[in-house]
Amino acid sequence: MLKKELRSHFLVTLVWLVAITLLRWDWNLILLWLGGLVGTFLLDIDHLFYLLVVYPHELTGMRVKRLFEQGRIKEALVLVADTQDERFKLSFHNALFQLILYVVCFFVLTSTGSLFGAGLVMAMALHLLKDEFELLFKGKEKRLREWLFWQVKGEISFYHQKLFVILMLLIFLGLNLLLI
């Protein structure tokens, strides 16, 4: 499962980076690629943060901690990937964080001029979008709601969830225009 997850995120990011490169050829784009590769996997740290810091008393968290202490890092990462569906109150995988991330993306793209930073934040946004669309296409309405809107007390309909994800896609595409 870990390899499949890494491969799918890497493939989506690779397609995005190739598209940007074809639309805006420049040797400095190597920094965009480096930032994109780092940003693609940066959000996965959220699962470790959840297990080791926020809810360390949960069984999976204790197992992961023990594997890290024994130096069995690969096994720990596989366990984290295999149990990712158990976690939905993630700090960086929710609608509020995504909105904040898009504000940061806008700032980085318009104010800093850093291609590494642009690649980093845009790849993080793409990572979230890929996960959201995957849940949408699989029809996992409840999982998407738990994942995106766990901070919201009221009920969010599937229609509104789809609307949110489509809006995030449109904003992401708009931000890409600033990158080209």
Side-chain angles (χ1 to χ4, degrees), residues 17-28:
L17 287 168
V18 167
I20 294 296
T21 302
L22 290 174
L23 293 171
R24 175 193 169 174
W25 176 248
D26 184 355
W27 282 107
N28 291 333

Side-chain angles (χ1 to χ4, degrees), residues 8 33 35 58 65 91 98 108 113 119 126 135 154 156 172-173 178:
S8 69
W33 280 70
E58 289 185 359
K65 182 178 179 187
S91 302
Q98 192 170 12
V108 169
L126 184 60
L135 291 173
I156 306 292
F172 179 79
L173 293 173
L178 296 173

Side-chain angles (χ1 to χ4, degrees), residues 68-132:
F68 275 128
E69 288 170 349
Q70 295 171 350
R72 297 163 49 193
I73 295 170
K74 184 177 180 182
E75 288 178 52
L77 295 176
V78 168
L79 178 60
V80 170
D82 288 346
T83 60
Q84 70 182 2
D85 287 340
E86 295 175 3
R87 296 176 288 283
F88 61 90
K89 290 185 176 181
L90 297 168
S91 302
F92 306 135
H93 287 77
N94 60 66
L96 179 61
F97 175 79
Q98 192 170 12
L99 291 171
I100 293 168
L101 177 61
Y102 279 21
V103 170
V104 172
C105 287
F106 181 77
F107 172 76
V108 169
L109 292 171
T110 59
S111 301
T112 67
S114 168
L115 287 175
F116 180 83
L120 183 91
V121 294
M122 291 296 286
M124 290 172 64
L126 184 60
H127 177 126
L128 291 173
L129 277 174
K130 181 255 176 211
D131 287 346
E132 292 164 3

Side-chain angles (χ1 to χ4, degrees), residues 49-63 65:
F49 183 72
Y50 177 97
L51 290 169
L52 300 175
V53 178
V54 179
Y55 295 103
H57 59 280
E58 289 185 359
L59 179 61
T60 304
M62 291 187 288
R63 290 174 59 201
K65 182 178 179 187

Side-chain angles (χ1 to χ4, degrees), residues 6-21:
L6 292 174
R7 195 173 23 249
S8 69
H9 280 292
F10 180 73
L11 182 62
V12 169
T13 302
L14 187 64
V15 168
W16 171 71
L17 287 168
V18 167
I20 294 296
T21 302

Side-chain angles (χ1 to χ4, degrees), residues 9 13 19 40 46 50 57 67-68 93 113 122-123 137 140 146 152 158 162 170:
H9 280 292
T13 302
T40 297
D46 197 14
Y50 177 97
H57 59 280
L67 288 170
F68 275 128
H93 287 77
M122 291 296 286
F137 291 141
K140 295 186 176 184
E146 289 174 341
V152 178
F158 191 51
K162 287 192 282 190
L170 293 175

